[in-house]
């Protein structure tokens, strides 16, 4: 709408767009900005193949890893970055794990990326799960929740991004 204002007009917007387009960095980053892992070597190979097909292989890195071995403190070495958005869609305890093992996995994820129910420094932690009691396993309430469907499964995206307040 501002492009139609008499004091600004379309020409100014066109000039600014042309100037900015010339400054956009089109080269992929030297380091990946998306990192993924899975317990399955097959899943990692499939993710790499899909990244190649999508033309983003230079921007992502995948590796085989057990989530129980991942630590927030190790992420900077793996990724080259100090800040991370960790997004997890772990097994729900229906098809791949039984419910008790899924709960164990949720606790392990929370222990790795949360501290007293809040995000560890440099971490934003998001989990997609149909498990309504996730927050009790995580040790604290999510900062934000979003209802969604993963296929036909009703889930919640639990988002932890606020830092733990300093102890008094």
């Amino acid at each position: 709408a501002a492009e139609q204002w008499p004091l600004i007009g379309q020409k100014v917007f066109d000039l600014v767009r042309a100037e900015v387009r010339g400054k956009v960095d089109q080269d992929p980053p030297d380091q990946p900005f998306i990192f993924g892992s899975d317990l399955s070597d097959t899943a990692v190979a499939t993710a790499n193949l899909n990244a190649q097909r999508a033309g983003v292989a230079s921007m992502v890195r995948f590796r085989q890893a057990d989530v129980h071995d991942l630590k927030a403190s190790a992420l900077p070495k793996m990724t080259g970055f100090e800040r991370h958005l960790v997004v997890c869609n772990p097994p729900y305890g229906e098809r791949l794990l039984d419910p008790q093992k899924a709960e164990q996995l949720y606790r392990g994820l929370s222990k790795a990326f949360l501290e007293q129910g809040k995000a560890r420094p440099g971490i934003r932690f998001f989990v997609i799960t149909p498990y309504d009691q996730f927050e009790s396993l995580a040790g604290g309430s999510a900062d934000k929740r979003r209802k969604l469907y993963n296929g036909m499964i009703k889930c919640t995206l639990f988002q932890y991004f606020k830092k733990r307040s300093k102890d008094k």
Side-chain angles (χ1 to χ4, degrees), residues 42-53:
T42 303
V44 170
T46 301
N48 278 315
L49 182 61
N50 287 336
Q52 286 178 326
R53 288 179 178 160

Side-chain angles (χ1 to χ4, degrees), residues 53-73:
R53 288 179 178 160
V56 297
S58 65
M59 295 180 253
V60 297
R61 295 290 180 270
F62 300 103
R63 68 178 255 184
Q64 186 279 331
D66 187 332
V67 72
H68 296 292
D69 297 333
L70 289 176
K71 306 279 186 254
S73 60

Side-chain angles (χ1 to χ4, degrees), residues 106 129-137 145 147 154-156 158:
Y106 297 158
T129 180
Y131 190 67
D132 290 334
Q133 304 304 312
F134 178 81
E135 292 166 304
S136 66
L137 297 176
R145 289 164 219 78
K147 298 291 182 191
K154 184 179 178 184
C155 295
T156 302
F158 294 96

